[in-house]
Amino acid sequence: MSDYNAMELMVVVAARSLPNAASVVVGTGAPCAAAMLAQKTHAPDLVVMFEAGGLGPKMRSAPVSVGDSHTFYHAIQASSMNTIMDACSRGCVDFAFLGAAQIDMFGNLNTTCIGDWKAPKTRFPGSGGGNDLASLCRHSIIMTPQDRRRFAAKLDFVTSPGYLTGKGAREAAGLPRGTGPHRVITNMAVMGYDDETCRMKVLSINEGHTREEVIENTGFELLFAEHLEVTKRPTKHELKILREEVDPTRVIIGR
Amino acid sequence: MSDYNAMELMVVVAARSLPNAASVVVGTGAPCAAAMLAQKTHAPDLVVMFEAGGLGPKMRSAPVSVGDSHTFYHAIQASSMNTIMDACSRGCVDFAFLGAAQIDMFGNLNTTCIGDWKAPKTRFPGSGGGNDLASLCRHSIIMTPQDRRRFAAKLDFVTSPGYLTGKGAREAAGLPRGTGPHRVITNMAVMGYDDETCRMKVLSINEGHTREEVIENTGFELLFAEHLEVTKRPTKHELKILREEVDPTRVIIGR
Amino acid sequence: MSELKKGVGPLFMDPDADNAREFFATKHLASRNKLMTATEAISQYVHDGDYLASGGFGTNRIATALLHEVVRQRRKNLGLAGHTMTHDFQILCAGECISHCDAAYIVGLEARGLSKNARRLIESGKMELCEWTNAALSWRLRAAAMGVSFIPARVMLGTDTFANSAAVEIECPFTGQKYAALPALYPDVALIHVHVASPSGNACIEGLTAADIDLASASKRVIISAERIVPEEDMRRRPHRTTIPSVVVDAVVEAPFGCYPGNMPYLYFSDEDHLREWLQAEEDPEVFKAFVEKYIYGTDYFYEYLDLCGGMRRMIQLRRKEYMVDGAACD
Amino acid sequence: MSELKKGVGPLFMDPDADNAREFFATKHLASRNKLMTATEAISQYVHDGDYLASGGFGTNRIATALLHEVVRQRRKNLGLAGHTMTHDFQILCAGECISHCDAAYIVGLEARGLSKNARRLIESGKMELCEWTNAALSWRLRAAAMGVSFIPARVMLGTDTFANSAAVEIECPFTGQKYAALPALYPDVALIHVHVASPSGNACIEGLTAADIDLASASKRVIISAERIVPEEDMRRRPHRTTIPSVVVDAVVEAPFGCYPGNMPYLYFSDEDHLREWLQAEEDPEVFKAFVEKYIYGTDYFYEYLDLCGGMRRMIQLRRKEYMVDGAACD
C-alpha cells in the first residue's frame, strides 16, 4: 500500500521537527538518522551534539555509540560531557531526542526499572543523560513504538521529567523556565502537548492507522487536536536521501 | 662586612623554607628566584605553579609576568587559572608567596588601598590571586621590606586573610582547616607565628640588625622566639647558584 | 517557597572538602618514573572496598586492560561511579567486583542491548544503588576537583531519580531559584586510558575527554594506561596539549590496544562482533562462566586476550575501520 | 552556627540563569563566515554601557587590537570584569571607557609598576568598584558557563574583600561548612585573542587559557581576534584542539601581532620598552593625552600602531625574544 515503512515515516517526521540553525542533542539510531536527514534536506545548519562531547560533526554514517569517533568526525569540537551538559544548562540547546521504556500523559519518562525500584522485575540502564537533557533542553522529542505497556497511566519510576504533574510543575520543581516535552513520534501517530493542561495530544495519525487504534494502544486518556490530520507522508526526495545517504545499509530503517 | 646583600639573604631564606617535592605558587621577582634557587639546590622536585596556569615549568630565566611564556616553558602543563585555583582549593598546594602594602600581627594583608576604601588616598591593584592563595594554600610566605608603615597595627583594608583575629578565626570564617601564614621574610629578620596566639613571632634576626631595630620598624607588638637566633647566612654554593644561574643579570637581587 | 526535598539514597563517599584536603596534602607530587605493569598497578593502587571510577565513555576510550586486571586480581566490594558505564560495567560485573554503585547509566550497552549478567546481579539485590544522572555525576566530580563539598545543578529535580539519589534541594541566595545540591565525589581510584603518556604520567587525550579531566583531579589515586609511552620532553615541548598533568597520577601502564574491544579515537574502532559475543555468552550463566574463565582469568596479560580475539590481524582490521571514519591519522 | 554575612558591594550584572537562558535561546548558532574588521566588530557588538570582559591575562594574549578600537570608537560607561587586568585595563582607562568594575587586579602592571592614569580615575571616584579575587571572578564565569546562578567557593571569607563584594555566605547542605556563594557573571561581550581561528570562529589557543574557555561560554557576545585565519577544514580535522567552538562566537577579526605590546605564547614576547613608555607617559596628564592621541585616536587601524612602535623590525625582534624562551615554534 504505502511506499515507506513506519520507521521511515517516524524518522522523516522527526527530521521535519528540527528547524534550520537549531541545536539538538541526539542519541544513536533513529534520532541520529533524523538529524542527518534534516541536515541533508531543509536544515543544513542544524548543530548536532552528543552527550559525551561531540559537537557539530559532519557525520558520514551513524555512530554505534554516542561517544564513538563518528560523533566528532570533522566536528566543531571534540569536547567533554561537561561542555555539552553545561551548554544545555546555559540554554544553548533547542532540542533533545529521548527514548523510554514507559511514558505517561505528561511526558514523564521511565528508563530505570519495571516493578519496585528496590527489587526490580527488570532493571534498565537508568537516566544516563536522559534526565539531564529532559531537564535542560528547550524541547524534548520522543521516538518510540506505541503500545499500552509503554504508554502507561502510571510510571513505575519517573526517571526524567516531562511536565511532571501538569502546568507549572516544572518551574515549581526548579527546572528551567520554558522547557518541556515537545513531540512524541510513534509508529501510529504524532503527538504534542496541550498548552493549558500539558497533557499529551494527538496532532496527526499516520496513514494506515486509526484514532481507535491509537486509543487502544495508550494506557491513559489522550487529547486530540481539533483538526486532526493525517501525518504528512515522506516525499520522494526525503525517502531517497534517507535510504541512499543517511542509512544505506538500512540498519535503522529496517530491511 | 657581609659578602651578600639583604635581598640575596631573603631569597636564600625563602628558598630554604621550601622542602623538596613540595608545591608552591609563586609570583614574579624574589619569590620566583627563591623557587628557582630551591630547585637548583636542595629541592630539585619542587613543583612550581603560577596562578595564570603555568604548572611545573623548567624555568631558564625569571618571568616578567605570572602569565608570560616563561611560566610554562617545558612545563608539565600550560593550564588555566581555574586549574591552578582548583588545585589550591583541593588542597594540593603546600606554599604560596604573597606580597603586601600592609601586614598586621596576624599576617592579614592589604593590597587594596591606603585610606578609606570609598575614597582611597592610594589605590593598589587589589587581591588579584592573593586572597585566593592566602585562603587556599597550606602555608603562605611573605617577602617584604620591614618598616612601621608596612607592619601596621591596623590595616586600612584586609584584602587577604592571615589568621584574621587569632586562633580558630580562619576555620570559623569557613577557610580550609590547617591553613595560614607561615613565614615573613624581611631585610631584618625571619618571622613565624606563635602556635597558641597566631601572632607574628621573630624566629631569627639577620646579620647586621638588632632586636631593637626590628621592634622600631614594626607597628605592632612582636613576639620573640625563646631561642632567638641569627639568620643562617647564605652558603657560598647558594650565592653562586643565585648569582650565576638564577639571576645573572641581577634584576632581582640588585646591582 | 515550598519545602526543600532530600533524596533518600545512600551517600557512599564523604563529600567533605577538608577531609579530602588532608588526603591530597599527603600526595607525592615529584616527577618520577611511574611506569609499571597492569598487574603491579592494580595490586598496588586498587584495594577491596575501594570506590572506583572508570574513564572514557562506555565503549569509548575505556581502560579495558586495567579493568580486566581488577577482575583477574578478584577485587571485591568495590564502589563505582556509574556515568555511562557500558562494557566497562559489564567487565566489572563479570568479576562480581562491585557491591555499591552511583548509577546513571549501567547494565546497558547502548543500542547493542542489555547485559544479562549485570541485570542478574542488580535484580538479585546484590548491588546497592544510588540514582544519579550523567551530568550529575560529572558535576559531582567537578565539585571535588574544585575542592568544594557541593555544587548546584538544575537536573534531577521533581523526579524519582532525585528521590532515590543523595542530592538535596537548596535555594540560590541571589535569586531564590531552587537547585539540586550535588555532593562532591572524590573516588578512591580512577582508571583512565589515554593516547600518549610520559613515564611520570603527563597524559594526552585526543578526541572526547568525557569527564576525565575532572575525574583525574577529583580522584585520590589515578592509574593511567596509555597506547604509547613517550619521553618526558615530548610532552613538555607542547605543555598546552597535556590533558592530565603528572602531579595527579600515581601509576602509568603501557597498554597498546588497551581499550579493545572499545573504540580508541583516531586509532581503532570498536569490535562490534566481540561485544556481541560477550552479550551472547551472558545468555547462559554456565557459558558465561567459561567465557570469563577463558578471556580473563585464564590469561595473565592483556595481550593474551588480544591474541585470543584475533591478534594483530584483528587489530589491523579495526584500525582500518577507524581510518574509514577519519582518513587522517592523528599526529 | 554564626550568622551568615553578606557583602555590600554592587551586583552589576543579573546572575539569574533563566534570564540568561532567554538570551542564549536567541543566539544564532549556524556556522557562517563571521570575518570582519576590528572597526566593524566593535561597532556592531560593543555598545555604550555594555559589561565587557577581556581575555588572556594582563599583558599575555590580550586582545590589544580590539581594545584600541573600543577606545577609538569612544565607548563610554562600560562595566568590566577585572580579573588580572594590567595593560588591557590601562588601555581602557586611557579612553576613560569604564564606569564600573568588578575588581580583582586592576591599576597595576605586575612588577612594572602602577598605572598613574588608572589610579587617578579610581582615586577621583569616577569608577564604581566591587571587590573580588581572581579565582572568584573565574569561578563566577564558570557558574555562568554552567548555567547556574551561583557557585560555592572557599575564598574571600573573613576579609574586607568579601565585605565589599556582592558575595554572600551560605552553608553546605551536606557538611554544614561555610562557603562564599559567588553570583554567576554573564558579561555582555568578551574580547578574546587567539592563535588561530576559522572564519566561523572555531578558535585554538596555545599556551595558558587563563579564564577564557569559561569566559567564551559565559558571555552573551564573543569577539575573537586571531593571529592567523585558517580554513574551516583545518580546524575540523583535529576537533579536540578547538579551544573555543564557533557556536559561541559572533565575530572573527584577523589581527596579526594583535596582542602587542603583550606576550603571545610561542609567537612574540612582550615589548617591555613600550610598556615602560606607557607608564612614563602617564606621569604627566598632558603628555599622556598626546600619547593616546598619537597611538590610538590618531590611527585608523592597529597596524598603524604597530608601525609607530617600530613596525616589522620591532616585531621580528620580539619574535626572536620569544623563540629564546622556547626554541621550538609551535605547530
Side-chain angles (χ1 to χ4, degrees):
Chain A
M1 187 193 70
S2 73
D3 54 352
Y4 57 88
N5 68 31
M7 181 55 82
E8 286 173 331
L9 177 62
M10 287 168 68
V11 171
V12 166
V13 169
R16 287 175 187 157
S17 67
L18 300 171
N20 194 23
S23 50
V24 58
V25 179
V26 304
T28 55
C32 190
M36 289 169 75
L37 177 60
Q39 284 182 322
K40 288 170 189 285
T41 53
H42 65 283
D45 292 329
L46 180 72
V47 178
V48 174
M49 304 180 182
F50 292 87
E51 61 169 294
L55 168 53
K58 294 193 166 171
M59 279 180 290
R60 295 201 297 195
S61 48
V64 294
S65 159
V66 297
D68 80 29
S69 294
H70 295 275
T71 66
F72 54 92
Y73 174 72
H74 283 218
I76 289 173
Q77 191 172 27
S79 72
S80 67
M81 195 148 72
N82 274 341
T83 305
I84 300 299
M85 291 302 186
D86 286 357
C88 294
S89 182
R90 211 160 59 238
C92 299
V93 183
D94 299 309
F95 293 92
F97 279 102
L98 298 168
Q102 291 181 322
I103 179 169
D104 70 12
M105 69 163 72
F106 294 114
N108 300 307
L109 306 175
N110 176 12
T111 57
T112 300
C113 60
I114 296 296
D116 181 40
W117 178 77
K118 284 195 179 139
K121 199 168 145 285
T122 312
R123 172 73 202 196
F124 296 123
S127 158
N131 177 298
D132 307 314
L133 302 173
S135 296
L136 301 172
C137 298
R138 237 169 328 276
H139 309 294
S140 58
I141 301 176
I142 315 288
M143 297 176 75
T144 182
Q146 188 150 9
D147 61 57
R148 276 188 93 80
R149 191 180 44 84
R150 206 177 278 267
F151 284 65
K154 188 171 171 6
L155 305 185
D156 290 18
F157 192 96
V158 179
T159 310
S160 302
Y163 289 106
L164 296 173
T165 54
K167 198 170 173 77
R170 283 178 70 93
E171 291 75 8
L175 294 171
R177 207 157 62 203
T179 56
H182 178 61
R183 288 285 179 275
V184 181
I185 299 168
T186 77
N187 52 322
M188 295 183 187
V190 179
M191 286 151 278
Y193 292 85
D194 181 64
D195 284 346
E196 282 316 302
T197 62
C198 290
R199 281 174 51 185
M200 201 183 290
K201 180 159 81 175
V202 181
L203 303 178
S204 71
I205 294 182
N206 301 355
E207 272 189 318
H209 295 277
T210 63
R211 181 176 177 134
E212 289 63 39
E213 204 182 348
V214 171
I215 291 173
E216 264 167 39
N217 280 281
T218 304
F220 51 82
E221 193 193 341
L222 279 167
L223 304 178
F224 284 85
E226 216 172 318
H227 304 288
L228 193 64
E229 292 178 7
V230 175
T231 308
K232 220 178 127 199
R233 48 189 319 179
T235 65
K236 275 195 180 145
H237 180 65
E238 284 167 333
L239 285 176
K240 184 179 153 67
I241 301 287
L242 177 57
R243 291 168 181 172
E244 293 176 14
E245 296 184 26
V246 174
D247 188 23
T249 57
R250 304 189 70 82
V251 174
I252 296 159
I253 56 178
R255 281 166 219 271
Chain B
M1 186 195 69
S2 74
D3 56 351
Y4 57 88
N5 68 29
M7 183 52 85
E8 287 173 331
L9 177 62
M10 286 167 69
V11 171
V12 166
V13 169
R16 288 175 186 157
S17 67
L18 300 171
N20 193 24
S23 50
V24 58
V25 179
V26 305
T28 55
C32 190
M36 288 169 76
L37 178 60
Q39 284 183 322
K40 288 169 190 285
T41 53
H42 65 284
D45 292 328
L46 180 72
V47 178
V48 175
M49 303 179 184
F50 293 87
E51 61 169 293
L55 168 54
K58 293 193 165 169
M59 279 180 290
R60 296 200 297 195
S61 49
V64 295
S65 160
V66 298
D68 80 27
S69 295
H70 295 275
T71 65
F72 54 92
Y73 173 72
H74 283 218
I76 288 173
Q77 190 173 27
S79 72
S80 67
M81 194 148 71
N82 275 340
T83 305
I84 301 299
M85 292 303 186
D86 286 356
C88 294
S89 182
R90 210 160 60 235
C92 299
V93 182
D94 300 309
F95 294 92
F97 279 102
L98 299 168
Q102 290 181 323
I103 179 169
D104 71 11
M105 67 163 74
F106 295 115
N108 300 307
L109 306 175
N110 176 12
T111 56
T112 301
C113 60
I114 296 297
D116 180 39
W117 177 77
K118 284 196 179 137
K121 198 167 147 288
T122 311
R123 171 73 202 198
F124 296 122
S127 157
N131 177 298
D132 307 315
L133 302 173
S135 297
L136 301 173
C137 298
R138 235 166 333 272
H139 310 293
S140 58
I141 301 176
I142 315 288
M143 298 176 76
T144 183
Q146 188 149 11
D147 62 56
R148 276 188 93 78
R149 191 180 44 82
R150 208 177 275 268
F151 283 66
K154 189 170 169 10
L155 305 186
D156 290 17
F157 193 97
V158 179
T159 310
S160 301
Y163 289 106
L164 297 172
T165 54
K167 197 171 174 76
R170 283 178 70 92
E171 291 76 7
L175 294 170
R177 208 157 63 204
T179 56
H182 177 63
R183 288 284 179 275
V184 182
I185 299 167
T186 78
N187 52 324
M188 296 183 186
V190 178
M191 286 151 279
Y193 292 86
D194 181 64
D195 284 345
E196 282 316 302
T197 63
C198 290
R199 282 174 51 186
M200 203 183 288
K201 179 160 82 174
V202 182
L203 302 178
S204 70
I205 295 182
N206 300 355
E207 272 190 318
H209 295 276
T210 63
R211 181 175 176 133
E212 288 63 38
E213 203 181 350
V214 171
I215 290 172
E216 264 167 38
N217 281 282
T218 303
F220 51 82
E221 192 193 343
L222 279 167
L223 304 179
F224 285 85
E226 216 172 318
H227 305 289
L228 194 64
E229 294 179 5
V230 175
T231 308
K232 221 178 127 200
R233 48 186 320 175
T235 65
K236 276 195 178 145
H237 180 64
E238 284 167 334
L239 286 175
K240 184 178 154 68
I241 301 286
L242 177 57
R243 291 168 181 172
E244 294 177 14
E245 295 184 26
V246 173
D247 187 22
T249 57
R250 302 189 70 83
V251 174
I252 296 159
I253 57 178
R255 282 163 220 272
Chain C
M1 256 297 167
S2 57
E3 203 195 345
L4 295 175
K5 298 193 185 76
K6 266 173 157 345
V8 299
L11 191 53
F12 295 127
M13 297 298 284
D14 179 7
D16 187 281
D18 274 327
N19 293 345
R21 283 179 62 96
E22 276 184 14
F23 176 86
F24 286 120
T26 67
K27 194 149 175 167
H28 191 72
L29 301 175
S31 191
R32 63 188 196 284
N33 185 338
K34 297 165 190 163
L35 275 175
M36 57 184 82
T37 62
T39 318
E40 290 165 337
I42 299 302
S43 159
Q44 197 169 336
Y45 292 108
V46 181
H47 319 300
D48 284 356
D50 274 354
Y51 187 101
L52 198 96
S54 172
F57 190 94
T59 47
N60 310 289
R61 203 176 44 69
I62 53 172
T64 316
L66 300 177
L67 290 162
H68 275 211
E69 191 58 33
V70 170
V71 172
R72 197 178 288 120
Q73 294 193 20
R74 298 182 191 273
R75 289 290 173 280
K76 295 293 170 188
N77 301 316
L78 299 180
L80 191 67
H83 63 274
T84 297
M85 298 275 290
T86 70
H87 184 58
D88 34 7
F89 190 76
Q90 196 178 18
I91 294 167
L92 291 170
C93 285
E96 303 199 7
C97 305
I98 309 159
S99 64
H100 51 295
C101 178
D102 283 314
Y105 186 102
I106 52 172
V107 315
L109 276 92
E110 303 192 68
R112 301 175 191 96
L114 299 173
S115 159
K116 202 153 186 176
N117 182 57
R119 280 176 63 185
R120 185 182 55 79
L121 283 176
I122 289 169
E123 291 163 12
S124 69
K126 283 189 184 166
M127 202 184 294
E128 193 183 9
L129 297 181
C130 187
E131 296 290 327
W132 301 94
T133 70
N134 273 352
L137 283 180
S138 74
W139 286 327
R140 290 184 63 194
L141 293 171
R142 181 181 281 180
M146 292 176 66
V148 294
S149 54
F150 77 103
I151 199 160
R154 307 189 79 176
V155 296
M156 310 211 300
L157 295 158
T159 64
D160 292 332
T161 305
F162 178 92
N164 292 285
S165 77
V168 303
E169 289 181 358
I170 52 169
E171 279 169 21
C172 171
F174 300 101
T175 63
Q177 175 66 49
K178 201 183 277 179
Y179 282 92
L182 309 176
L185 174 59
Y186 295 96
D188 288 316
V189 57
L191 314 180
I192 302 176
H193 190 61
V194 304
H195 290 78
V196 170
S198 71
S200 73
N202 275 336
C204 177
I205 292 172
E206 290 162 347
L208 310 178
T209 50
D212 292 359
I213 294 175
D214 287 325
L215 173 59
S217 294
S219 298
K220 295 185 175 173
R221 300 186 291 277
V222 175
I223 306 177
I224 295 286
S225 63
E227 291 287 330
R228 200 155 58 92
I229 304 296
V230 297
E232 291 302 328
E233 278 310 301
D234 275 26
M235 294 300 300
R236 283 181 177 266
R237 241 192 97 227
R238 292 183 196 82
H240 58 281
R241 301 232 189 116
T242 301
T243 318
I244 297 172
S246 59
V247 283
V248 305
V249 174
D250 295 274
V252 180
V253 174
E254 186 180 12
F257 297 99
C259 156
Y260 175 87
N263 172 198
M264 193 66 186
Y266 307 114
L267 296 181
Y268 47 91
F269 202 70
S270 49
D271 188 342
E272 295 298 322
D273 294 339
H274 186 61
L275 287 168
R276 207 173 299 118
E277 202 185 330
W278 266 82
L279 286 173
Q280 276 161 1
E282 291 186 2
E283 291 292 320
D284 180 331
E286 285 310 305
V287 170
F288 187 55
K289 209 180 150 190
F291 180 91
V292 177
E293 189 57 43
K294 170 184 170 190
Y295 282 125
I296 302 182
Y297 295 120
T299 55
D300 288 324
Y301 300 100
F302 191 66
Y303 61 74
E304 293 178 31
Y305 173 63
L306 297 176
D307 277 339
L308 288 172
C309 294
M312 282 315 293
R313 182 192 161 86
R314 185 68 184 143
M315 299 308 128
I316 288 165
Q317 283 169 343
L318 296 171
R319 198 164 266 244
R320 202 171 297 142
K321 202 168 168 200
E322 177 69 8
Y323 288 169
M324 285 174 65
V325 177
D326 185 354
C330 188
D331 58 357
Chain D
M1 257 294 168
S2 58
E3 204 194 343
L4 295 175
K5 298 194 184 75
K6 266 171 152 0
V8 300
L11 191 53
F12 295 127
M13 297 298 284
D14 180 7
D16 188 283
D18 273 327
N19 293 345
R21 283 179 62 97
E22 275 184 15
F23 176 86
F24 286 120
T26 68
K27 196 150 174 163
H28 191 74
L29 301 175
S31 190
R32 62 188 197 283
N33 185 338
K34 297 164 191 165
L35 275 175
M36 56 185 82
T37 63
T39 318
E40 290 166 336
I42 299 302
S43 159
Q44 196 169 335
Y45 292 109
V46 182
H47 320 299
D48 284 356
D50 273 355
Y51 187 101
L52 198 95
S54 172
F57 190 93
T59 47
N60 310 288
R61 202 175 44 69
I62 53 173
T64 316
L66 299 178
L67 291 162
H68 275 212
E69 191 58 34
V70 170
V71 172
R72 196 177 289 120
Q73 294 192 21
R74 297 181 193 274
R75 288 290 172 282
K76 295 291 171 193
N77 302 316
L78 300 180
L80 191 68
H83 62 274
T84 297
M85 298 274 293
T86 70
H87 184 58
D88 35 6
F89 190 76
Q90 197 179 17
I91 294 168
L92 292 170
C93 285
E96 304 199 8
C97 305
I98 308 159
S99 64
H100 52 295
C101 178
D102 283 314
Y105 185 101
I106 52 172
V107 315
L109 277 91
E110 302 192 66
R112 303 175 190 96
L114 297 174
S115 160
K116 203 154 185 172
N117 181 58
R119 279 176 62 185
R120 183 183 57 78
L121 284 174
I122 289 170
E123 290 163 12
S124 70
K126 283 189 184 165
M127 204 184 293
E128 192 183 10
L129 297 182
C130 187
E131 297 290 328
W132 300 94
T133 69
N134 274 352
L137 283 180
S138 75
W139 286 326
R140 289 184 63 194
L141 293 171
R142 180 181 282 181
M146 290 175 67
V148 294
S149 53
F150 78 103
I151 199 162
R154 306 189 79 176
V155 296
M156 309 210 302
L157 295 157
T159 64
D160 292 333
T161 305
F162 178 92
N164 292 285
S165 76
V168 303
E169 289 181 357
I170 52 168
E171 280 169 19
C172 170
F174 301 102
T175 63
Q177 175 66 48
K178 202 184 276 178
Y179 283 91
L182 310 174
L185 175 59
Y186 295 94
D188 288 316
V189 56
L191 314 180
I192 302 176
H193 190 63
V194 304
H195 290 78
V196 170
S198 70
S200 72
N202 274 337
C204 178
I205 293 172
E206 289 162 348
L208 309 179
T209 50
D212 293 358
I213 294 176
D214 286 327
L215 173 59
S217 294
S219 298
K220 293 184 177 175
R221 300 185 293 277
V222 175
I223 306 178
I224 295 287
S225 62
E227 291 287 330
R228 201 156 57 92
I229 305 295
V230 297
E232 292 301 328
E233 278 311 299
D234 276 27
M235 294 300 300
R236 284 182 177 264
R237 239 192 98 227
R238 292 184 198 80
H240 58 282
R241 300 233 188 114
T242 301
T243 318
I244 297 173
S246 58
V247 283
V248 305
V249 173
D250 295 274
V252 180
V253 175
E254 186 180 12
F257 297 99
C259 156
Y260 175 88
N263 172 198
M264 193 66 185
Y266 307 114
L267 295 181
Y268 47 92
F269 202 70
S270 50
D271 188 342
E272 294 299 321
D273 295 338
H274 186 62
L275 288 168
R276 208 173 297 117
E277 203 185 329
W278 266 82
L279 285 172
Q280 276 161 2
E282 291 186 3
E283 290 293 319
D284 180 329
E286 285 309 307
V287 171
F288 187 55
K289 210 180 150 189
F291 179 91
V292 177
E293 190 57 42
K294 171 184 169 193
Y295 282 125
I296 301 183
Y297 294 120
T299 56
D300 288 323
Y301 301 100
F302 190 66
Y303 63 73
E304 294 178 32
Y305 173 64
L306 296 177
D307 277 340
L308 289 171
C309 294
M312 280 317 292
R313 182 191 159 86
R314 186 68 185 141
M315 298 308 129
I316 289 165
Q317 284 169 343
L318 296 172
R319 201 166 264 246
R320 203 171 298 142
K321 203 169 167 202
E322 177 70 6
Y323 288 169
M324 286 173 65
V325 177
D326 185 354
C330 189
D331 59 353

